[in-house]
Amino acid sequence: MTSPVPESVASVVLEKGTSSGSPCQYPYRNVPVYVRNKHLCICLRNKPAEQFHLWDFTLYDKLLEAEGKMSFKFKKKDCQVMLQGDPQTLRTIRQEVLALMNGLGVEGRSTRPQGRPALAAKGPHKPRQQPAQQANPYAKPSSSVASRPPSRANSFVSEPVLPRRADLKRQIDYHSGSLLPPLHPAKRNASRPTPDEMKRERERRDASPGGKSDSSGRSGRSGVSGVSAVSRPLALCPEADNLTEAQKKVVNLARYGKNVFFTGGAGVGKSYLIHILKSFIPQDTLFVTASTGLAACQIGGSTIQKFGGIQNSDDTVDRIVSSVTKSFQAMQRWTSAKTLIIDEISMVEGRFFQKLEELGRRLRGCHKPFGGLQLLISGDFLQLPPVPPNDPASLPAAAASSSRGPPGIKRSDSTASLQSNASTGSRRGVRKLPVIFAFETDAWRKTVQHTVELTQVFRQSNQQFISILNEIRFGNPSPATLTLLMAHARHLINGRQQQQQQQQGQSKAGVVATKLLPRRKEVDELNRESLRQLPGQTREFLAVDNTGPGGIDLDMATNAPRHLTLKKGAQVILVKTINASRHLVNGARGVVTQIHPKLLVHFPGAAGSKDHEINATCFDVRVGNQVVATRTQVPLVLAWAFTVHKSQGMTIDMAEVGLAGTFAEGQAYVALSRVKSLEGLTIHGVRDENELRYVIRANDRCLLYYENLRKAANR
Ligand SMILES: Nc1ncnc2c1ncn2[C@@H]1O[C@H](COP(=O)(O)OP(=O)(O)OP(=O)(O)O)[C@@H](O)[C@H]1O
């Protein structure tokens, strides 16, 4: 029996079919809704509670979080329940219902549609029929179509099915807006160009002025290119109107089910694009992931390991397959996914990427790369590299047997890495292997069909600063750049200038520049010490965690701290967008102005001059559509200092970058590119231009990769 949820109150509309065929709606405002005794109960005023037995019905539920709406369709009773209320309440109700149905072994379906549920106008909802060609996930694929796995008693989700490319395309096109209706497969084939036509089209484009950079847009008019429809106007979300041509190209390739890698320097809008992609790809088959928990948190996804149900990425593929197939949920993710987004690919180790590709094929029972999953990959290989894996030869025998990399990887002979991760390794007596980037693997070559380079920088507007950062990205700063950067080095500033600079830094109502440092230990110490030195009382904020059945490490999976101590005057940064229209966005810097009775923070960049009250908010850890764990905490962290790794993906108003101890290629670039302007930047930890030159490093193989990319684009 499930415990009641008495505090769940929502506005309810019951829609019941009538004998005449037209449905009738019965609205009720703010009534208790809860799950009890295997029923979804709705307490109606002056009436017996409406009870929907979860055993009897096939249930299709829809949750529109942004609009605070959810609907359940009880197919056998020809009835729909539409709920409107606080998203958190709706989520709780939904989780209760689904958990109970799961326990009961009731069949149902969870969907997250793109549009509003047009419940009154339409007849009973019919789930889209999927082609029944599920492969046996337990067997190595011998052919693309295998037998269906035995159905599971405890399933509330219909049998997972293999996506077919044609269905995937149709679905993406359909959901992306009315402007792009589903194409008949025959028509699509008719419009698919032959290699000769493609060649002619390329020549035509190259001959036209500006044709190369504009391939996404005008080329489509000829109707010859494989992405011919790309010239159609986009009907996605309002932000899509602002997309650059290159960003639009990514969107259109994604709409056509292509595997795309979109890359570019810091601040070119890669994460922004992911939000756009999320707005039109069907949510029930889309999984948004990133290489690290923090990066995943920024785009509302999970880590790639979490998606794949991978406990230890050093394990062999055989071992991972055997553990994943024991987890129904992990299997369900692998088989129900049609599109997988991977952000911050630069930090995904090549051997692991190769394993993922094999896992995709084996677990989905399909010989195509990644088992036919559509991959949308984002990142910049000139930013932070992957952590080098352990050398199996230096591990104890048992561990070593599980760490051998998969075949199909082009061995790199050297990595000119500055990484002293070797030092971490050697501390434990474990050697590290040279890093292999994802783009160096066979899996990459087989999978990635299109690469789009985004070049327009949005984070910075000053052209001089943009070109300085570009030089740094490619590890090749000119003498003029080094001189200019050294002018921002703190130790060169005499006392008076330093004081002025501090005053400038603090002119924004007590907010000081955030220090970006290479190592976590220094960062923790600095934050602790700065807080200790502040006078006044402290107030503690403890997170309320729900780690879910998997016992997720919420420190890794969310940006919110388990334990936050604040004082009046503490430097803080918002780690979640709480009100975008008032610029209270993830990354906004502020200073605490009151801790009792309310927590007030002044954000100089926010709309309005008043201090803003900050309350605890819920951080969801999602795997695909499902919230698997939550942390409720005040969305702030101390911001005197941050690690460079943690800052990847952030925009920071004022930063003081500590370059001493920089250990990874691309690390200096990530740190320096967080600020919007040179005025917001101070550098320390380097004494002269030679030292500065030394820490600005880019990986040679990545440089070559981008050089080849440019050559190919210009060809
Ligand atoms: N087409 C666009 N129109 C307007 N603003 C944009 C556009 N694309 C990106 N931006 C803005 O540019 C800023 C940087 O974008 P974003 O964080 O997505 O860059 P990024 O490429 O992911 O950077 P990083 O590599 O540092 O993570 C954000 O404030 C974002 O809102």
Side-chain angles (χ1 to χ4, degrees):
M1 187 169 119
T2 312
S3 59
V5 192
E7 70 278 15
S8 296
V9 171
S11 292
V12 176
V13 177
L14 292 180
E15 186 184 89
K16 295 182 178 176
T18 59
S19 49
S20 66
S22 53
C24 269
Q25 293 194 345
Y26 306 91
Y28 303 95
R29 284 181 76 83
N30 299 333
V31 291
V33 180
Y34 52 84
V35 175
R36 186 184 290 163
N37 294 343
K38 303 174 188 168
H39 286 78
L40 172 70
C41 305
I42 300 168
C43 288
L44 306 179
R45 275 179 217 106
N46 309 323
K47 279 188 180 181
E50 272 277 355
Q51 299 198 351
F52 297 92
H53 197 301
L54 301 176
W55 180 258
D56 283 343
F57 307 111
T58 303
L59 177 144
Y60 300 93
D61 80 293
K62 299 174 177 180
L63 173 62
L64 290 167
E65 241 176 73
E67 296 177 47
K69 289 181 181 172
M70 178 166 66
S71 67
F72 290 105
K73 186 184 281 277
F74 292 85
K75 201 178 158 204
K76 291 185 189 162
K77 212 176 177 186
D78 193 15
C79 173
Q80 282 194 74
V81 179
M82 293 170 268
L83 304 176
Q84 186 162 12
D86 165 42
Q88 178 60 40
T89 308
L90 297 185
R91 264 204 305 268
T92 314
I93 296 170
R94 181 171 180 271
Q95 276 168 7
E96 290 271 337
V97 171
L98 293 183
L100 183 63
M101 293 188 77
N102 196 12
L104 291 173
V106 180
E107 199 180 275
R109 163 169 262 177
S110 165
T111 57
R112 301 193 60 196
Q114 298 305 295
R116 295 160 65 88
L119 299 169
K122 291 184 181 165
H125 170 79
K126 289 207 176 71
R128 196 180 3 258
Q129 286 300 312
Q130 301 277 13
Q133 51 162 328
Q134 171 61 40
N136 178 1
Y138 300 88
K140 286 193 183 190
S142 54
S143 70
S144 62
V145 180
S147 60
R148 221 180 149 88
S151 69
R152 292 175 180 246
N154 275 353
S155 148
F156 64 84
V157 174
S158 50
E159 285 292 335
V161 289
L162 270 181
R164 286 194 323 202
R165 177 66 67 195
D167 290 324
L168 175 65
K169 277 184 182 172
R170 209 171 308 136
Q171 197 175 10
I172 289 173
D173 294 350
Y174 175 70
H175 282 294
S176 61
S178 56
L179 291 175
L180 201 55
L183 291 177
H184 189 276
K187 279 192 190 163
R188 206 194 331 274
N189 288 340
S191 70
R192 194 169 291 153
T194 63
D196 275 357
E197 284 172 332
M198 280 164 72
K199 196 172 161 211
R200 273 201 301 279
E201 167 64 2
R202 249 197 325 269
E203 283 164 8
R204 190 195 65 77
R205 232 177 24 225
D206 289 356
S208 70
K212 281 165 193 162
S213 60
D214 205 12
S215 59
S216 67
R218 271 140 280 189
S219 68
R221 285 199 194 124
S222 71
V224 175
S225 161
V227 279
S228 59
V230 294
S231 61
R232 292 169 201 240
L234 296 166
L236 307 167
C237 56
E239 292 91 333
D241 294 341
N242 305 329
L243 296 183
T244 62
E245 285 303 305
Q247 285 175 323
K248 281 183 193 163
K249 183 172 181 178
V250 175
V251 167
N252 284 305
L253 288 166
R255 284 159 72 137
Y256 274 80
K258 302 287 181 195
N259 295 336
V260 192
F261 170 47
F262 49 101
T263 182
V268 294
K270 298 183 292 294
S271 312
Y272 185 83
L273 200 43
I274 289 180
H275 289 289
I276 306 277
L277 294 171
K278 280 170 69 181
S279 76
F280 72 90
I281 297 176
Q283 298 289 295
D284 48 343
T285 53
L286 169 71
F287 287 81
V288 180
T289 68
S291 49
T292 68
L294 291 172
C297 198
Q298 307 240 8
I299 52 167
S302 65
T303 59
I304 182 76
Q305 283 87 348
K306 193 94 234 147
F307 159 79
I310 300 165
Q311 314 281 347
N312 177 5
S313 40
D314 283 344
D315 267 350
T316 59
V317 177
D318 283 341
R319 279 196 198 205
I320 298 175
V321 167
S322 97
S323 81
V324 171
T325 47
K326 285 181 197 131
S327 157
F328 174 65
Q329 285 182 340
M331 271 311 292
Q332 189 205 322
R333 287 194 295 272
W334 274 108
T335 51
S336 66
K338 291 188 175 182
T339 307
L340 180 66
I341 292 181
I342 307 179
D343 193 18
E344 302 295 359
I345 189 72
S346 68
M347 287 197 262
V348 174
E349 221 281 329
R351 297 166 183 86
F352 181 56
F353 187 77
Q354 186 81 16
K355 284 181 199 177
L356 278 175
E357 194 278 326
E358 191 179 339
L359 282 174
R361 276 183 286 124
R362 286 178 59 178
L363 295 170
R364 294 164 63 83
C366 171
H367 69 280
K368 290 182 183 168
F370 272 88
L373 257 178
Q374 183 193 16
L375 249 74
L376 302 174
I377 304 175
S378 153
D380 177 13
F381 286 110
L382 291 169
Q383 294 189 32
L384 291 166
V387 173
N390 296 328
D391 181 354
S394 66
L395 292 175
S401 65
S402 70
S403 291
R404 225 153 276 139
I409 289 173
K410 200 172 110 187
R411 269 307 289 241
S412 64
D413 28 13
S414 75
T415 159
S417 175
L418 286 178
Q419 282 166 339
S420 67
N421 291 346
S423 67
T424 3
S426 60
R427 269 208 303 277
R428 295 181 206 135
V430 177
R431 280 193 307 277
K432 297 282 180 181
L433 288 172
V435 157
I436 292 173
F437 292 93
F439 70 83
E440 295 176 306
T441 60
D442 276 352
W444 184 275
R445 281 183 284 275
K446 278 195 292 188
T447 310
V448 176
Q449 299 166 308
H450 298 268
T451 300
V452 179
E453 195 169 5
L454 311 180
T455 48
Q456 184 170 336
V457 178
F458 287 93
R459 185 171 291 134
Q460 294 86 18
S461 54
N462 179 308
Q463 273 311 318
Q464 187 193 21
F465 191 33
I466 290 175
S467 23
I468 286 175
L469 289 177
N470 207 31
E471 287 176 18
I472 296 171
R473 177 168 178 243
F474 287 94
N476 192 19
S478 65
T481 291
L482 292 172
T483 312
L484 196 79
L485 285 176
M486 282 314 289
H488 287 260
R490 188 163 237 203
H491 78 275
L492 290 182
I493 301 168
N494 65 35
R496 204 163 63 83
Q497 279 173 316
Q498 187 165 334
Q499 206 178 3
Q500 269 176 2
Q501 184 153 351
Q502 270 175 357
Q503 276 164 5
Q504 270 172 15
Q506 296 212 0
S507 65
K508 286 191 168 180
V511 174
V512 299
T514 303
K515 292 189 173 64
L516 295 181
L517 304 172
R519 295 184 187 279
R520 195 159 66 192
K521 199 164 154 244
E522 300 162 310
V523 166
D524 291 345
E525 269 168 22
L526 209 142
N527 279 332
R528 248 196 322 269
E529 190 51 29
S530 306
L531 187 73
R532 200 185 61 74
Q533 283 178 8
L534 274 183
Q537 279 185 332
T538 57
R539 184 172 169 193
E540 313 283 330
F541 297 87
L542 270 182
V544 178
D545 287 353
N546 176 357
T547 55
I552 286 170
D553 180 353
L554 289 163
D555 292 335
M556 294 295 287
T558 71
N559 279 333
R562 181 187 301 261
H563 186 181
L564 176 69
T565 308
L566 292 178
K567 278 182 181 174
K568 185 177 169 186
Q571 298 292 318
V572 288
I573 193 163
L574 259 181
V575 286
K576 188 172 183 182
T577 297
I578 50 177
N579 189 336
S581 58
R582 295 176 144 229
H583 306 298
L584 296 177
V585 292
N586 191 354
R589 282 281 280 110
V591 59
V592 175
T593 51
Q594 180 185 306
I595 51 169
H596 277 298
K598 291 176 178 173
L599 173 61
L600 297 182
V601 179
H602 181 69
F603 293 96
S609 55
K610 73 176 180 70
D611 298 344
H612 295 270
E613 184 180 348
I614 304 294
N615 293 312
T617 173
C618 187
F619 290 78
D620 291 338
V621 179
R622 286 173 182 276
V623 180
N625 262 345
Q626 251 180 323
V627 176
V628 291
T630 58
R631 164 166 286 179
T632 307
Q633 174 62 296
V634 169
L636 295 172
V637 293
L638 294 178
W640 278 282
F642 256 62
T643 57
V644 177
H645 277 71
K646 205 165 188 170
S647 76
Q648 176 146 326
M650 278 185 177
T651 305
I652 297 175
D653 287 340
M654 287 181 296
E656 200 179 303
V657 176
L659 291 174
T662 297
F663 59 85
E665 288 157 338
Q667 202 175 17
Y669 171 60
V670 169
L672 296 169
S673 60
R674 295 308 99 195
V675 289
K676 291 182 190 162
S677 67
L678 263 173
E679 289 69 49
L681 179 68
T682 315
I683 297 170
H684 66 80
V686 282
R687 279 170 300 188
D688 55 29
E689 282 154 34
N690 281 339
E691 278 190 17
L692 182 58
R693 177 76 196 79
Y694 179 74
V695 294
I696 297 175
R697 295 279 298 270
N699 183 285
D700 291 339
R701 282 143 46 213
C702 297
L703 286 174
L704 192 63
Y705 170 78
Y706 280 99
E707 202 182 308
N708 289 337
L709 209 63
R710 296 247 163 116
K711 276 187 198 156
N714 291 330
R715 216 171 282 143

